[in-house]
Amino acid sequence: MFIQQAFKYRYDFWRYLLGIFIVFIGITLGQIPLVVMAMLEKGGDVMMMDENEMLSILDSNLTLFLMLLTFAVGLVFLLVHVKVIHKQSVLSLTTSRKRIDWSRFWFAFILIAVFTIVITLLDYFTNPGDYLVNFQLEPFLILVGVAVLMMPLQTAFEEYFFRAYLMQGIGVLAKNRWLPLFITSIVFGGLHFFNPEVGKLGNIVMIHYIGTGFMLGIITLMDDGLELALGFHTANNLVAALLVTADWTAFKTNSIFKDVSDPSAGWDVIIPVFIVYPIFLYILGKRYGWTNWNQKLFGKVEKAETLNLSEEA
């Protein structure tokens, strides 16, 4: 089992607390290039600005690269900590299978990418007044390069930190599956509270962020691995960055379209979480033969007697 295999390594809870601190240090250090570039452009005044004002100083492609670099540095710190302090392999942090199943990653990636593109184009043709064609070849090509290179690192950091590291750490402490699912999903969603989308659309949009956390946590537990969650999350962020931007989003990019509508949140937030996500779960469950949902989501996490106890020292 995905959580259970953490017992094979050094799983003392203080190691996980240290890991959270190490990740915080990595994220903080990863922000330095963005702050330095903003200071070179604007001077010391940037220290008095909020995050959104600082991000508006630089070219959008450079800003995106530096924002995503923050998560890339955090990912490196996390994986080094897991290897050195927990003596755990990246493979066991990724999946319970003997090797990473990239076909799972690509199935989820294509499923979400196609769905997002189709829904966006339907909305564009149905409500053309809500969009401007924002496409400019050279900035868009640079955006593609930055997004394809860096976006997978950003989503990998979030998945490895929440759905792998914290899921396993809380799971081996609580000896169950439901508590890590709830904690990681709520914390993951809660950390999006300061996104500009929340300020523009209102707190109701938190249903989307927390619901997405639960969706990713459920597919991780049901599939005993991160591959599907990685594909889902990467496609969601990558396609969104390339396809549509708006002045009120966290990622302001040189995308194909720009949303110029007066945004509001209501059924368009609720429907994906309570209707679309269950459909995705049904599709994935049928394809990969998921069974015993109650045990996998709410069952106990018990240490197998066959594990080599010397590996825990």
Side-chain angles (χ1 to χ4, degrees):
M1 294 295 182
F2 182 63
I3 292 178
Q4 187 183 32
Q5 63 187 1
F7 282 121
K8 294 186 291 185
Y9 306 97
R10 299 183 178 180
Y11 59 90
D12 313 81
F13 198 63
W14 68 264
R15 300 178 193 271
Y16 289 96
L17 293 177
L18 177 61
I20 294 172
F21 177 72
I22 292 296
V23 166
F24 174 77
I25 295 297
I27 290 291
T28 302
L29 293 176
Q31 293 174 340
I32 292 176
L34 175 59
V35 175
V36 169
M37 291 297 294
M39 290 183 67
L40 291 175
E41 184 71 22
K42 200 72 174 180
D45 294 341
V46 300
M47 304 308 295
M48 305 299 294
M49 297 179 180
D50 61 29
E51 182 180 7
N52 290 329
E53 289 177 320
M54 185 183 299
L55 294 177
S56 67
I57 294 174
L58 304 172
D59 169 78
S60 63
N61 283 328
L62 177 59
T63 299
L64 180 65
F65 174 82
L66 294 173
M67 285 177 63
L68 298 178
L69 180 64
T70 298
F71 297 97
V73 174
L75 178 63
V76 171
F77 272 63
L78 173 62
L79 296 182
V80 170
H81 172 79
V82 168
K83 183 68 175 178
V84 173
I85 303 300
H86 293 272
K87 303 299 181 183
Q88 184 174 355
S89 65
V90 175
L91 176 63
S92 67
L93 194 66
T94 307
T95 184
S96 59
R97 285 168 276 276
K98 293 182 179 180
R99 60 181 61 87
I100 296 174
D101 186 350
W102 289 106
S103 68
R104 278 173 152 81
F105 171 91
W106 287 112
F107 180 81
F109 182 96
I110 293 170
L111 176 67
I112 302 308
V114 170
F115 174 81
T116 304
I117 292 170
V118 169
I119 291 298
T120 301
L121 291 179
L122 283 175
D123 192 47
Y124 170 73
F125 288 114
T126 304
N127 304 288
D130 290 347
Y131 295 89
L132 289 177
V133 177
N134 191 54
F135 180 76
Q136 299 178 62
L137 181 60
E138 184 176 344
F140 179 75
L141 291 178
I142 296 173
L143 169 64
V144 170
V146 170
V148 170
L149 175 66
M150 301 298 293
M151 195 71 74
L153 298 177
Q154 179 249 330
T155 53
F157 165 75
E158 294 187 358
E159 290 310 307
Y160 274 106
F161 185 59
F162 289 101
R163 253 67 63 181
Y165 188 68
L166 293 183
M167 187 82 79
Q168 290 184 346
I170 298 170
V172 297
L173 175 70
K175 303 295 192 297
N176 64 51
R177 293 175 172 81
W178 68 267
L179 189 62
L181 173 61
F182 273 73
I183 290 178
T184 58
S185 301
I186 292 171
V187 173
F188 170 80
L191 289 177
H192 291 79
F193 181 76
F194 298 102
N195 280 17
E197 291 92 336
V198 179
K200 187 69 174 180
L201 300 175
N203 292 341
I204 190 174
V205 78
M206 294 301 296
I207 294 175
H208 168 73
Y209 291 126
I210 294 175
T212 300
F214 272 101
M215 169 71 182
L216 295 168
I218 289 170
I219 62 178
T220 298
L221 290 178
M222 290 304 303
D223 203 52
D224 278 321
L226 272 189
E227 295 98 331
L228 292 174
L230 284 168
F232 184 110
H233 200 165
T234 302
N236 181 76
N237 288 20
L238 181 60
V239 174
L242 296 177
L243 205 54
V244 183
T245 191
D247 291 334
W248 44 269
T249 58
F251 291 146
K252 300 176 181 66
T253 64
N254 293 292
S255 58
I256 296 174
F257 299 111
K258 183 175 182 179
D259 185 344
V260 294
S261 65
D262 185 16
S264 61
W267 287 107
D268 53 339
V269 171
I270 296 173
I271 288 175
V273 173
F274 294 103
I275 297 179
V276 177
Y277 284 178
I279 293 173
F280 287 157
L281 286 174
Y282 176 79
I283 293 172
L284 295 173
K286 292 293 287 184
R287 178 174 178 85
Y288 296 108
W290 294 346
T291 58
N292 201 8
W293 288 67
N294 186 63
Q295 170 62 24
K296 285 198 170 185
L297 297 181
F298 302 102
K300 295 181 179 180
V301 173
E302 297 177 333
K303 183 177 177 181
E305 296 180 359
T306 56
L307 297 182
N308 186 349
L309 298 179
S310 66
E311 293 179 337
E312 303 168 22

